[in-house]
Structure formats: structure tokens, C-alpha cells
Amino acid sequence: MANNEDLFKQIISHAKEYGYIFPSSEIYDGLSAVYDYAQYGVELKNNIKQYWWKSMVQMHENIVGIDSAIFMHPSIWKASGHVDAFNDPLIDNKDSKKRYRADVLIEDHIAKIEEKIEKEVEKARKKFNPFDEVLFRETNGRVKEYTEKKAGIERRFAQMMTDNDLAGLKTLIEELGIVCPVSGSRNWTDVRQFNLMFSTKIGSLSDGADTIYLRPETAQGIFVNFLNVYKTGRVKVPFGIAQIGKAFRNEIVARQFIFRMREFEQMEMQFFVRPGEELKWFNYWKEERMKWHLSLGMEPRDYRFHDHDKLAHYANAATDIEFMFPFGFKELEGIHSRTDYDLKQHEQYSGKKLRYFDPETNETYIPYVVETSIGVDRMFLAVFSHAYAMEKLEDGSERTVLRLPARLAPVKVAVLPLVRKDNLPEKGREIMDMLKPNFLCQYDDKDAIGRRYRRQDAIGTPWCVTIDNQTLEDNTVTLRERDSMQQERVPAAQLNTIIAVKL
Ligand code: GAP
């Protein structure tokens, strides 16, 4: 049985070997934390985006979509706080010359203590049956000790992050005895702040050029278009503006594959509400977004909320939807009640009134905002890693299968003539032509049928249609289902309907 680290490596190499994700610029040895989506990857990614767009924009009559530019006026990032405060605390190890995020070093240390607690609990679970976990956590000496230690570190850490106490973070790293994973030494530099925005110059002449930023989130493109949408969209509070697009962050630590990238994509929605009603809508979106995840057939046990105790100065509620990635529970989506902070800031910096006249109350106000923000690439990784499985079959052989939700799978149907003769390829082409206007299909008549099934399993194709001699006699085909590997004989003429119903 592969451990989680091995499993994650297998998932990464599967993504490359089967045309899902390639390292960017690979023939030049790659570019750190940048990836390209390959022939199947781009289909899966597009299907995720479509599924989100449909559920947010098409299914909510009071949400509209936009697509704002990546380049925006530089004052936007001053107003939003990104120029002054979009920083990560970084620290270098003087021996290895490796750079780390100071907060991540501490978080990893906390995660190790958590692992120790879980190991103790797991041991007890195996030993005692029935097992009262709450009582055990309260009474077991070691578990109590670890739990208190962890809580103490978390308290201090949270305070330091709030106070921007960089010296405190260094002291904590030293006190906890955190070593550099490469050199093994504790020879650390001081902690410094590092702004995550990429900058570039706009204009054809460099001397007349102005510094602008590649947007680090898509949200600001929504805020600065609030007035335009309000004036042209016939929208009434509460209403939302949704957007999918690229975002860029100069992440200090590039790791965990597409989990943390320097160029990534976000699917964000800002929901504008009456002041005072924001917490009601925050709870609404918390539930809605969790339902969206579960509607894909993912396991509820792989999701949890992580409510923020310490809130950013502009938020009055925030939660993360965390997913059980192969490297543990991590943030997949954020839901934030951002008050009227962003619109107020843009009012101040632009000098334009960003207000809404409420015909029901006869009041004019700056709406409050509830935001839902999910990374497309993280969602991709969640779906892909959840789908990946190695299975032992009854005949003793093994197969690797991607159990992707059918509606997200890149190829929906593979059309496979049993042999490459006896007019079966011609019949296969006919069926392919009948299906391809409706579904992304793949035709394949090379190799033994068993190998072709394995290949479709490995790219996650939910259905294989096999054409054999009987097809020529009665126009029926076998329809093989990926997960159960069950085959049924169905009329070829009904394939479009059968597959549409299954989808
Ligand atoms: N507008 C709010 C915002 O940007 P965030 O928590 O910084 O909030 C939202 O980002 C989501 O974007 C995260 O939950 C994550 O899914 C995704 N995300 C953030 N940074 C990322 C990165 N470097 N690589 C991939 N996805 C990232």
C-alpha cells in the first residue's frame, strides 16, 4: 500500500504520462511553480469551469458574469491594500541558501504535532472497542500534552501574524527547533516581508512607462465594475457578479504541484447585499458552495469547514472549505464576508460614488459583500487526486483508473471496433460520427481490446462502445462502464440518448 507521499508522486506522474499536466517549458528544464494543461487536462479544466459557471450564473437569476482585464489601473492595488499588505514573511537558511515562508514552517510544525495526536488516537481506536474518542482525548496524558502544546503555539503564532511581528516569528522558529529540510541546520536569517505581486511596465517607451501589476486576484476586477453592472444589468440587491480568470502571485515556496502556482486561475463571485444582512448571506453561501462540491459525488468526509478565528481587518466572517488532498486537509475555497471595505476604498481612491439606491427602503448605501473564491487548479487537483485509483482485478491483474465524475471527464465515450477488419472500423466511424456532435469521443482501433480498455480507464473515460460482428447483424453494440466494468448490449441507434441520460 502506497503511503500518501508515494501516492502523490504517482498522481503527478500519471498526470504527465496520460496527457493531463506538463511542467511548463520542460525542454528548458521547466519553470518553477508554473504548469501547462495538456490535451486531457484542458478538457477537465474547462469542464470544471463550465460546471461552476452554470451553477453560479445560469442557475442563479440574480448573478451575472463578467470577464475583466488582467491589467488594471495601478491605484486599484493601492486601494485594495495589496501594494502595502499583500506580503508573505520569508526566511532563508544560511547554510542551504533555501528560502521558506516563515508561517509555513510553523504551520508544518503544528501539523506534525497534529499527526502525533492522531497516531495516538488511532492506536487507541484499534485497541479499544467501543472507543469513546472525546473521553480519550480528554484523559490520555500524551494526547493532552500534545494538544495543549499545539494550542499554545497556535495562539502565539496567530497573535504574531496579526501584529506583523517578524522578530517574534523568528524567535518562535528557533524555540520550536525547526530545522531546514535541506541542510538540517537552524542557521536562519531574520524574517522579512515579501510582496507577492508581479509588476511590469505599461506603454511603448520605457522612460514614460508606468508600473502596473499582474492581478493577484480576480475580485478587484469585479469591484471596479460594480457601478457599470448596476447601471446596465437591471440588477437589484442582493445580486452577484461572477468571474473566472487568471491570477498571478510570486509565491515564495513552490511545491505541492498545482496546489500553489505562480500563475493560476480563480473562479470568484462577489455577492452584493444590504448592510446588516451579510451574515445571513455568508451562511447561505457556505451551505451552497458545500452542496456544489458534494453534487460532484465527492465524499463528504473529504471536506470540512475551517472557520477563521482571526479575521482580516475588512472581514466580519470567513471560512475555508478544506479538502483532503493527498498531503492532508488544505484550503480549496474561501468564503468571506468582506463588509463594504473594498467598495469604500475604491470610492475613496477613485473619487467616484459606488452606491446603490434601494427602491424598497428608499435608502442609498454602499452594499456589503460576501465573496466565494475557489482556485480552478486546486479544484482540478481535488477532482484528479480523488479520482485516481490502482485496483487489483479478479484475474489478478491490476488497472489504474481515473474515476472522474462523468460530467467532468474529458472524453465521454471511446468508440472501439473489436478488430481492424471485417468492416468493423467502417461501422465504428459511423457510430463515431453519430456521437461526436454531442460528446467528446475518441476512436481507437489499435491494440488488443483489453489494452484499449485500460488506456481509457487511465484517462477516465466513463463509457466504451465496442463494435463486433454482431453489430453488423443487428446494429447493437456493447456499452462498457468504466467503474464497474459491466457491459450491456444496447442498440447503436439509441447511444446518444442512453449516454445523455447517464450523464
Ligand atoms: N479574492 C480572495 C482571494 O483571492 P485567496 O484565499 O487568496 O482569496 C482564493 O484565494 C482561492 O484561490 C484559494 O482558496 C485557492 O483555491 C486559490 N489560490 C490562491 N493562491 C493560489 C496559488 N498560488 N495557486 C493555486 N491556487 C491558489
Side-chain angles (χ1 to χ4, degrees):
M1 181 65 177
N3 67 30
N4 282 354
E5 212 170 297
D6 288 343
L7 175 68
F8 191 36
K9 281 188 191 149
Q10 282 171 17
I11 289 170
I12 295 170
S13 69
H14 190 85
K16 183 171 175 216
E17 193 182 338
Y18 285 91
Y20 273 87
I21 293 175
F22 300 146
S24 164
S25 326
E26 200 185 6
I27 58 170
Y28 290 95
D29 296 333
L31 185 65
S32 176
V34 186
Y35 292 90
D36 295 338
Y37 283 83
Q39 60 274 22
Y40 298 122
V42 69
E43 297 292 343
L44 174 55
K45 194 180 182 198
N46 283 342
N47 291 343
I48 290 172
K49 289 194 277 187
Q50 266 168 24
Y51 190 60
W52 183 87
W53 191 266
K54 191 168 176 187
S55 87
M56 297 302 264
V57 179
Q58 190 172 324
M59 299 303 288
H60 289 94
E61 291 171 35
N62 57 351
I63 298 182
V64 296
I66 63 164
D67 182 16
S68 69
I70 287 171
F71 291 145
M72 295 198 275
H73 194 286
S75 298
I76 287 173
W77 305 111
K78 199 76 193 139
S80 67
H82 284 82
V83 171
D84 295 322
F86 194 51
N87 300 319
D88 274 343
L90 69 83
I91 190 166
D92 294 295
N93 183 268
K94 290 182 195 164
D95 299 317
S96 67
K97 308 272 184 278
K98 289 275 173 207
R99 181 159 285 179
Y100 300 92
R101 265 177 62 177
D103 54 335
V104 172
L105 286 177
I106 296 168
E107 276 166 11
D108 285 352
H109 186 85
I110 293 170
K112 275 187 199 143
I113 302 176
E114 210 164 281
E115 261 171 41
K116 282 186 191 162
I117 298 170
E118 285 316 310
K119 258 189 203 146
E120 290 292 330
V121 173
E122 195 51 43
K123 259 196 267 170
R125 206 177 271 138
K126 281 188 188 141
K127 210 160 147 195
F128 306 113
N129 193 14
F131 170 67
D132 184 340
E133 189 173 322
V134 177
L135 185 66
F136 182 79
R137 282 181 189 272
E138 280 167 5
T139 54
N140 180 282
R142 245 192 314 245
V143 170
K144 262 178 81 181
E145 183 196 321
Y146 291 145
T147 309
E148 278 164 17
K149 190 171 160 193
K150 179 174 156 255
I153 299 169
E154 279 173 336
R155 234 185 345 264
R156 285 176 67 195
F157 175 48
Q159 194 60 49
M160 286 165 185
M161 292 301 282
T162 311
D163 298 345
N164 202 9
D165 177 6
L166 302 183
L169 287 176
K170 184 180 180 190
T171 309
L172 188 56
I173 287 172
E174 285 170 343
E175 269 178 34
L176 297 176
I178 295 175
V179 297
C180 165
V182 178
S183 67
S185 88
R186 298 176 189 180
N187 196 5
W188 297 109
T189 62
D190 286 341
V191 178
R192 283 128 38 234
Q193 288 292 23
F194 176 77
N195 192 286
L196 297 183
M197 282 197 296
F198 285 101
S199 64
T200 186
K201 300 277 179 196
I202 197 161
S204 54
L205 294 175
S206 61
D207 54 352
D210 244 332
T211 299
I212 57 164
Y213 300 97
L214 271 69
R215 66 180 178 201
E217 61 170 13
T218 60
Q220 297 304 324
I222 295 178
F223 291 125
V224 298
N225 277 300
F226 161 76
L227 204 56
N228 285 335
V229 173
Y230 166 38
K231 283 186 175 162
T232 60
R234 297 173 63 81
V235 284
K236 267 177 38 196
V237 158
F239 73 90
I241 306 178
Q243 163 155 243
I244 299 178
K246 289 263 181 172
F248 304 83
R249 296 183 189 178
N250 198 359
E251 298 285 356
I252 299 164
V253 188
R255 56 174 195 178
Q256 289 162 333
F257 193 36
I258 56 170
F259 182 80
R260 196 176 300 286
M261 298 160 90
R262 297 204 164 107
E263 175 182 339
F264 59 100
E265 240 175 316
Q266 289 184 314
M267 305 187 280
E268 298 201 295
M269 192 278 299
Q270 312 294 324
F271 201 66
F272 300 89
V273 305
R274 264 187 205 146
E277 292 191 355
E278 69 278 10
L279 293 181
K280 177 182 91 182
W281 287 110
F282 171 76
N283 288 323
Y284 170 85
W285 282 110
K286 238 177 113 167
E287 246 182 66
E288 276 287 294
R289 293 303 305 145
M290 187 59 99
K291 273 193 217 154
W292 181 85
H293 287 280
L294 298 179
S295 72
L296 283 165
M298 315 275 270
E299 259 80 54
R301 64 162 188 268
D302 286 338
Y303 287 91
R304 71 180 185 195
F305 286 114
H306 170 223
D307 293 332
H308 294 203
D309 300 327
K310 289 269 168 208
L311 294 168
H313 60 281
Y314 52 78
N316 63 3
T319 195
D320 294 337
I321 294 181
E322 294 188 337
F323 181 76
M324 184 51 139
F325 289 98
F327 38 83
F329 268 110
K330 294 274 177 210
E331 177 188 342
L332 170 59
E333 171 159 8
I335 298 155
H336 314 116
S337 172
R338 296 178 72 124
T339 67
D340 57 356
Y341 175 81
D342 301 87
L343 290 180
K344 237 186 193 163
Q345 286 291 104
H346 289 304
E347 259 205 12
Q348 197 188 327
Y349 276 77
S350 68
K352 308 280 184 325
K353 287 256 174 283
L354 302 178
R355 310 219 164 180
Y356 174 79
F357 172 72
D358 196 326
E360 281 171 35
T361 61
N362 271 335
E363 282 172 316
T364 300
Y365 50 78
I366 299 181
Y368 272 44
V369 172
V370 176
E371 165 186 76
T372 71
S373 174
I374 175 168
V376 179
D377 314 87
R378 274 193 203 176
M379 187 61 199
F380 185 110
L381 184 57
V383 169
F384 195 84
S385 56
H386 181 266
Y388 177 88
M390 293 263 278
E391 283 182 355
K392 262 226 165 344
L393 303 180
E394 274 172 17
D395 63 4
S397 65
E398 273 197 349
R399 74 162 180 165
T400 306
V401 55
L402 279 186
R403 296 174 186 277
L404 294 169
R407 66 185 100 189
L408 299 185
V411 178
K412 302 287 190 256
V413 189
V415 177
L416 313 174
L418 193 59
V419 288
R420 225 180 191 178
K421 54 182 185 183
D422 303 338
N423 282 333
L424 298 189
E426 287 75 8
K427 186 68 191 168
R429 283 280 166 208
E430 193 186 296
I431 290 174
M432 180 78 187
D433 288 344
M434 182 185 84
L435 294 175
K436 75 182 180 194
N438 301 317
F439 314 104
L440 188 66
C441 302
Q442 201 167 69
Y443 176 89
D444 187 5
D445 60 11
K446 278 189 232 104
D447 297 329
I449 190 73
R451 287 186 70 172
R452 281 182 273 161
Y453 284 151
R454 290 291 166 275
R455 181 164 169 75
Q456 294 300 331
D457 290 343
I459 63 169
T461 306
W463 297 287
C464 290
V465 169
T466 311
I467 292 109
D468 54 20
N469 286 324
Q470 193 181 330
T471 312
L472 302 180
E473 286 163 22
D474 62 6
N475 206 28
T476 62
V477 292
T478 59
L479 187 64
R480 172 188 183 268
E481 202 268 329
R482 177 195 65 204
D483 297 346
S484 63
M485 294 186 289
Q486 298 281 317
Q487 301 193 16
E488 55 175 329
R489 194 116 208 142
V490 300
Q494 284 176 22
L495 276 172
N496 268 320
T497 316
I498 294 171
I499 291 161
V501 168
K502 284 179 189 287
L503 265 177

